[in-house]
Amino acid sequence: MDDTTTMIAGLRFLIVEDHGFQRWAIRHMLEELGAGNVLEAGDGRAALAILRDPHARVDIIISDLDMPGMDGMEFIRHAGAEGIAVSFILASALDRALISSVETMTTAYGIDLLGAIKKPVTANALVAAIRRYSLPRPHIERQPAAPIFTLAEIAQGFANREFESYFQPKVELATGAIKGVEALARWRHPQKGVVSPGAFIKLLEDSGHIDGLTMAMLDMSAICCRTWREGGLDATVSVNLSHKSLADVAFADRVTERVLAQNLDPRHVVLEVTESAATTHLGTALENLSRLRMRGFGLAIDDYGTGYSSMQQLSRIAFTELKIDQSFVRSASTQKSSRVILESSLEMAKRLNILAVAEGVETRPDWDLLVSLGCDLGQGYFVAAPMETGAFFHWLKTWKLSI
Ligand code: C2E
Ligand code: CA
Ligand code: CA
C-alpha cells in the first residue's frame, strides 16, 4: 500500500448526496481507493443526525450542494454552528463561480474545507482533496470558540518562561534560497501542549500587555538571527507587531534598543503589521513606522488583501515587503476571483518596488503558480511549517529545494 492508500484506509467518510446512483459512484470510488469506512446520507438533515451520534466519528464529508430537504448550504451552516469537527469536500454540478462563493461561505462558517470538485467527480480530484487532510491546518484549530485561558494564567505562563518563538522560513521562489524567517509565538503549556497565538494574543492586546510578548519575541528573534547570520546564512528575521503598540509614540525607540542590545543590525529585522494596524492610529502609527524604517528596519504589510486600505494609503508608508494573505494564495489555483486578487497584489508590489511574499503556500500547484506569476518569496507548509528553535536549525542544514 502506498501512503495515500494507507491514509484513506484510516479515514471515515460520509457521502451526502440525494442522487442514489451518484452516491453509489462516489462510494465505489472511495472503496477502490482503499476506504473501509463509508457512511451515506440523502440530505443535510440525515447527515446531521449521523454526525450528532457520538459513535459515528466522521473525518471527511463529501457533500452535494443542491439537494431537496436540507440543501448543502444549510447543512454547512448547521455543521459550523454546532462546531462539528469534520472536514468537507464539496461536489457539485453548479457552475464554477457559484461553487466558489459557497467555498468562501464554508470557510466563513468556520468549516475546514479540503476542496470543491466540479461534478462528475473523478478519483484524481477526490484524492487531491483528501490528501489535504494530512496537512497541518492550524487556521481552523487555532480559533477556539471562547478564550480558554484567563489573563492570570497567561501571566503565570509568561513568568514561568513558557513562551517561545517558532520559526518559519521564507524562500525565494526562483532559487529556493532562504531569504527570511518569520518568528511566531507559541506557549508551551505544561498541560495543554503547544498553544497557538490565537488563544492568547487578543487577550494580551485587550488588557494592554502585548508589548511584553513583543519584546520577548524581539529578543529571541534577534538572538537566533544573529546565530544563523554568524553561520553564514544571509536571512532576515520577521517579528509581528500589534496595532496596539503603534499607538504609543515611544514604541519605535524601545524596539530599536531591544534589537541593538542583542547586537543585531536593524536592517536584518523586518516588522510585520497588518493594513488595519498601520492605519488605525494613523498619526502615531506613521510616526513609529517612519522612525523604524529610518533606523533601517524592514516593514512588511501582513495579511494583505484582508483589510480595506487603498494603494494610496499603503504607498504613504515606507513598506519594504507585501505579504499576500494565505486565503488568496491557497485558492488561487482553483478560484478565479482569488487568482485575480493574487495577480493584482503582485502587480502592486512591483509598482511600489517592494518584495512580494506569498503566505500559505501549501502545495506544489500553489508553488508552481507563484513561480509562473513571478512572485518573489513564498512561505508555507510546502516549504516548512513553523518549527521550534532546535528543529529549525536542524532544518536549515538539510534544506534544499527538491523540485
Ligand atoms: P500571521 O502573521 O499571518 O502568521 C502566519 C500564520 O499562518 C501562522 O499561524 C502560521 O503558522 C500559519 N501558516 C504558515 N504556513 C501556512 C500554510 O502553508 N498553511 C496554513 N494554513 N497556515 C500556515 P500562527 O503561528 O498560528 O499565528 C497566527 C497569527 O498570530 C499570526 O498570523 C500573527 O498575526 C499572530 N502572531 C503570531 N506571533 C505573534 C507575535 O509574536 N506577536 C503578535 N502581535 N502576533 C503574533
Ligand atoms: Ca505575520
Ligand atoms: Ca499573515
Side-chain angles (χ1 to χ4, degrees):
M1 284 210 282
D2 66 14
D3 287 355
T4 309
T5 318
T6 317
M7 176 196 168
I8 292 178
L11 294 172
R12 292 161 186 263
F13 296 89
L14 168 62
I15 305 168
V16 190
E17 163 69 66
D18 59 307
H19 201 290
F21 174 72
Q22 296 196 11
R23 221 162 46 221
W24 174 84
I26 296 174
R27 166 187 280 278
H28 183 69
M29 242 176 255
L30 285 171
E31 287 174 350
E32 289 280 292
L33 291 167
N37 266 298
V38 184
L39 300 170
E40 296 180 18
D43 77 345
R45 194 160 284 111
L48 280 174
I50 293 176
L51 293 170
R52 285 176 188 140
D53 173 354
H55 302 294
R57 295 210 338 261
V58 173
D59 299 303
I60 297 181
I61 294 177
I62 298 158
S63 180
D64 186 18
L65 294 177
D66 195 3
M67 295 178 282
M70 185 187 286
D71 70 14
M73 273 86 77
E74 188 181 352
F75 170 44
I76 290 165
R77 168 160 48 81
H78 286 299
E82 294 182 25
I84 293 172
V86 64
S87 299
F88 269 74
I89 297 172
L90 306 178
S92 174
L94 299 173
D95 73 63
R96 198 60 244 186
L98 190 49
I99 298 179
S100 285
S101 70
V102 179
E103 272 187 84
T104 310
M105 177 208 85
T106 306
T107 23
Y109 280 145
I111 291 285
D112 181 29
L113 183 66
L114 300 174
I117 301 174
K118 175 108 170 93
K119 282 183 179 173
V121 175
T122 62
N124 280 347
L126 259 184
V127 170
I130 295 170
R131 283 174 106 145
R132 294 181 83 94
Y133 187 82
S134 64
L135 295 169
R137 290 183 307 283
H139 53 289
I140 296 296
E141 293 146 35
R142 71 168 180 252
Q143 290 170 356
I148 34 173
F149 298 106
T150 62
L151 187 59
E153 287 170 318
I154 297 174
Q156 188 59 53
F158 205 75
N160 295 348
R161 300 180 156 271
E162 289 162 8
F163 284 79
E164 65 185 62
S165 177
Y166 269 40
F167 294 100
Q168 186 181 35
K170 289 188 303 191
V171 306
E172 191 167 59
L173 283 144
T175 61
I178 301 160
K179 293 292 180 182
V181 181
E182 179 170 5
L184 293 155
R186 292 291 183 271
W187 179 5
R188 195 175 291 277
H189 193 282
Q191 280 87 43
K192 300 205 160 37
V194 178
V195 178
S196 289
F200 53 85
I201 297 281
K202 187 156 184 334
L203 214 55
L204 285 172
E205 286 180 335
D206 292 348
S207 61
H209 291 86
I210 191 69
D211 280 4
L213 177 73
T214 310
M215 295 301 151
M217 290 295 290
L218 279 168
D219 287 345
M220 292 183 273
S221 305
I223 293 168
C224 285
C225 179
R226 222 185 49 217
T227 310
W228 70 63
R229 298 194 68 84
E230 283 165 3
L233 176 68
D234 182 13
T236 56
V237 71
S238 301
V239 176
N240 292 282
L241 298 187
S242 160
H243 65 104
K244 294 276 179 179
S245 307
L246 295 174
D248 169 8
V249 284
F251 183 69
D253 286 335
R254 281 188 281 135
V255 170
T256 314
E257 269 164 34
R258 246 12 218 234
V259 169
L260 293 178
Q262 300 296 346
N263 277 323
L264 186 67
D265 187 327
R267 280 183 302 129
H268 301 136
V269 180
V270 179
L271 302 168
E272 301 197 353
V273 286
T274 60
E275 297 166 65
S276 50
T279 50
T280 305
H281 308 280
L282 194 59
T284 51
L286 285 177
E287 180 173 343
N288 273 314
L289 294 172
S290 309
R291 187 166 294 133
L292 288 165
R293 184 74 200 101
M294 207 169 71
R295 306 236 164 102
F297 286 94
L299 296 179
I301 308 173
D302 207 351
D303 303 343
Y304 180 69
T306 59
Y308 300 96
S309 24
S310 65
M311 188 160 164
Q312 189 207 16
Q313 269 174 319
L314 295 177
S315 62
R316 277 204 300 246
I317 306 171
F319 283 113
T320 52
E321 189 174 308
L322 184 78
K323 297 192 80 174
I324 303 162
D325 191 65
Q326 53 189 47
S327 55
F328 308 111
V329 175
R330 247 183 295 134
S331 49
S333 49
T334 53
Q335 269 196 37
K336 182 103 198 312
S337 57
S338 298
R339 166 97 181 235
V340 170
I341 295 174
L342 174 63
E343 286 181 10
S344 67
S345 308
L346 291 172
E347 174 69 29
M348 187 179 100
K350 200 161 278 160
R351 287 214 204 153
L352 294 174
N353 198 20
I354 61 180
L355 272 181
V357 184
E359 304 189 299
V361 185
E362 289 187 352
T363 63
R364 177 69 193 260
D366 298 343
W367 174 278
D368 290 344
L369 176 66
L370 291 161
V371 170
S372 74
L373 295 176
C375 179
D376 299 308
L377 306 182
Q379 176 180 349
Y381 300 152
F382 183 67
V383 175
M387 293 164 272
E388 58 175 309
T389 316
F392 174 71
F393 278 99
H394 176 73
W395 179 89
L396 279 184
K397 285 192 224 138
T398 55
W399 163 250
K400 76 173 187 313
L401 189 63
S402 49
I403 49 171

